[in-house]
Amino acid sequence: MTIRNTKHAIPQVRRSAPCTSPTSEPLLTDPVCPMPREHHPDGYRKHPRRPIGKRSAPERTADFREIWAPEWSPEALQDQGERCVDCGVPTCMSGCPIGNRIPEWNDLVHKEDWKEALQQLHATNNFPEFTGYTCPAPCEDACVLAVNDDAVAIKSIERAIVDKGWEEGWIQPEPPAERTGFQVAVVGSGPAGLAAAQQLNRAGHRVTVYERDDALGGLMTYGIPDFKFAKRRVDQRIDQLRQEGITFETSTEVGADLAADRLHDAYDATCLALGAQKHRELPVPGTGLDGVLPAMEFLPQENRRQQGQAAPGGVTATHKNVVVLGGGSTGADCVATAHRQGAKQVVQIGINQKPPSERPADNPWPETAQVYTKTYAQEEGGAQEFAVNTTELADLDGDGRVDELRAERVDWTYENGSRADKTVVDPDVRVPADLVLVAIGFVGPERNPFAHLGVRQTDDGTVATDDRLMTDVDGVFAAGDARMGASLVVWAIGEGRDAARQVDRYLTGDTELPASLQTANPPLGR
């Protein structure tokens, strides 16, 4: 591997033409849509909401193939596009962290112009299949129809557009016409790092991405289960990025395999997209017992098995009583993986009260609805408990392995959205447990390889940046979960795009890359 020092290199050209948006103005504040749309305000009356479905639970738990229905009807999706009411203020866009032009591509799909719909989708989202398959779709909660009806099936339309784009061969490498002479390092190859890399490369800079794992994609590869997101979808994007001119270095951990000082000296700018995989500790006795492990030690093992690789640790749920602590998406992924591995019993435990079935008064539209819905994993079986506070993990026979989870059932009172006080309803809850998977959240990057250079972390463990997304070290930027804490894939993509915009401006004094998050009107729900 050769690293060339271009710290003071002079760009050969001003820049190549912007490739991802026809405007340099912030997308969330554009007063005029880029293309006229026909009005079809009665489509929602003619067509009920029918999103692309999932395979049946008994069928999908028997394998590790994607849970989603593999095929969909173009005509059905055109009807779903017609359900969009073309409202005057598209609140769906404000609900989307990257400001996707949702009404535009809803209408284009309705009119069967799939190729233009793909162009509009790519204008704000580098990897729409990442979101079309994994995003919880806050845009749908913000849809105007969601006030008193079923929202437009936005997520399904997004997935259909990019599916068709790949099938038709419309998605092709777009290398820049000219190079600026600047070189940028991106540390981390998750959604934030890949988005930043693609944007910077298309602006004409030479980009090298460093990934500590042996495969690219971050948690899209070694975190999200294969049955939720097939890894070939990551591979095809990586292939596209390689053909656009991006260089990738795998099995290279900055701060260990490659000194951070050397990296900083060799590049004109650096973007830290390290993720936030440092798990929150469970503060109870027994966490050191065998059979107790963080979710992100368990899930990647199955990812590796599905790729035909050896799985360090070799932990499975087969024939075991499994307890999953945490009610979020990572917990759901643990539950679903345990089902497929042949667990004897799976119990998912959440510490908070069960959400209501309807929106509470303090959670009005268009905020993300804080209501209870079954996850795909709970559709497949297993028990789900709420308001259970774990107090101990017990070894009953002295062999050093966990045998039982002990807890108390509680009623919580909340202040400002946080747990404030509890009333113990049942002090002696016991659950058999041969395997306890801890999925209670993350608190920032696992390591800060640039700390000795002056990159500071905040009290919550995230990387501190200014309004330009730059750290305290000149030319070193941060994006994604490393900067904002563990969040959605869609946020990571937007953060990567914004970091690229700021890096481009830092290098050249100006930028034509489009903004997404860092605007005067940030998305709802931040």
Side-chain angles (χ1 to χ4, degrees), residues 13 118 120-121 141 183 194 223 261 270 276 279 287 311 321 335 355 384 394 404 408 427 432 459 492 503 511 519:
V13 296
L118 179 67
Q120 291 297 313
L121 183 51
D141 284 333
Q183 294 203 42
L194 293 179
D261 312 64
T270 301
H279 64 88
T287 55
N321 292 309
V335 170
Q384 187 172 23
E404 183 179 78
E408 56 188 14
D459 291 341
V503 171
T511 183
T519 69

Side-chain angles (χ1 to χ4, degrees), residues 175-463:
E178 298 174 301
R179 290 291 181 181
T180 63
F182 288 117
Q183 294 203 42
V184 182
V186 175
V187 184
S189 69
L194 293 179
Q198 187 171 53
Q199 294 293 94
L200 286 164
N201 182 73
R202 289 183 172 180
H205 309 306
R206 289 287 184 186
V207 181
T208 301
V209 177
Y210 292 91
E211 170 56 53
R212 67 178 182 177
D213 282 323
D214 58 355
L216 299 163
L219 291 186
M220 301 303 297
T221 297
Y222 286 143
I224 295 177
D226 291 57
F227 51 79
K228 192 172 175 182
F229 186 75
K231 304 317 168 198
R232 61 181 173 82
R233 304 188 192 284
V234 178
D235 294 340
Q236 63 192 5
R237 282 296 182 182
I238 295 296
D239 183 61
Q240 178 194 17
L241 270 57
R242 286 189 196 277
Q243 293 186 57
E244 291 180 351
I246 296 172
T247 300
F248 293 96
E249 298 286 351
T250 57
S251 301
T252 304
E253 183 169 6
V254 176
D257 304 302
L258 176 62
D261 312 64
R262 185 181 175 207
L263 187 77
H264 181 245
D265 291 341
Y267 289 89
D268 301 296
T270 301
C271 179
L272 303 180
L274 304 167
Q277 295 188 46
K278 184 177 181 180
H279 64 88
R280 181 174 286 115
E281 298 290 342
L282 180 67
V284 302
T287 55
L289 293 171
D290 287 345
V292 181
L293 70 161
M296 282 306 158
E297 290 184 17
F298 173 72
L299 292 174
Q301 292 184 26
E302 190 57 52
N303 289 129
R304 292 183 180 278
R305 291 188 193 97
Q306 293 305 309
Q307 299 302 313
Q309 302 174 13
V315 177
T316 72
T318 308
H319 307 312
K320 294 177 181 176
N321 292 309
V322 179
V323 176
V324 177
L325 295 179
S329 59
T330 302
D333 293 344
C334 289
V335 170
T337 300
H339 288 324
R340 285 158 179 77
Q341 291 180 348
K344 179 180 179 181
Q345 173 180 277
V346 184
V347 179
Q348 185 176 16
I349 292 176
I351 193 172
N352 288 311
Q353 301 291 142
K354 183 176 181 180
S357 57
E358 296 183 358
R359 279 183 184 266
D362 60 354
N363 175 220
W365 174 89
E367 293 179 359
T368 300
Q370 304 299 318
V371 298
Y372 175 72
T373 55
K374 271 193 173 184
T375 65
Y376 79 96
Q378 286 300 327
E379 292 172 353
E380 298 171 355
Q384 187 172 23
E385 298 288 339
F386 294 91
V388 172
N389 182 39
T390 301
T391 56
E392 182 182 1
L393 302 175
D395 171 12
L396 302 180
D397 54 13
D399 64 353
R401 293 193 56 83
V402 67
D403 298 303
E404 183 179 78
L405 178 141
R406 296 173 180 173
E408 56 188 14
R409 194 176 300 277
V410 299
D411 277 336
W412 292 101
T413 57
Y414 292 82
E415 292 181 6
N416 300 319
S418 299
R419 295 187 302 273
D421 200 4
K422 66 181 180 181
T423 300
V424 177
V425 177
D426 181 355
D428 191 23
V429 176
R430 302 190 180 210
V431 183
D434 305 311
L435 177 62
V436 177
L437 302 174
V438 183
I440 58 175
F442 305 91
V443 293
E446 292 177 299
R447 294 179 65 248
N448 177 4
F450 281 72
H452 69 287
L453 296 179
V455 171
R456 181 173 50 87
Q457 290 179 266
T458 65
D459 291 341
D460 64 6
T462 57
V463 176

Side-chain angles (χ1 to χ4, degrees), residues 486-497:
S487 189
L488 305 178
V489 170
V490 66
W491 273 109
I493 292 172
E495 281 267 311
R497 290 171 64 87

Side-chain angles (χ1 to χ4, degrees), residues 80-140:
Q80 293 305 299
E82 190 180 5
R83 293 191 74 242
C84 181
V85 298
D86 194 23
C87 50
V89 178
T91 47
C92 56
M93 290 178 64
S94 65
C96 175
I98 51 179
N100 273 335
R101 297 170 178 173
I102 296 165
E104 311 305 323
W105 36 264
N106 281 345
D107 182 61
L108 288 162
V109 166
H110 168 57
K111 295 189 291 189
E112 302 183 62
D113 193 347
W114 292 86
K115 190 171 185 178
E116 179 60 31
L118 179 67
Q119 292 178 349
Q120 291 297 313
L121 183 51
H122 272 147
T124 56
N125 188 346
N126 298 68
F127 316 117
E129 63 271 41
F130 289 14
T131 50
Y133 279 83
T134 70
C135 186
C139 54
E140 293 189 3

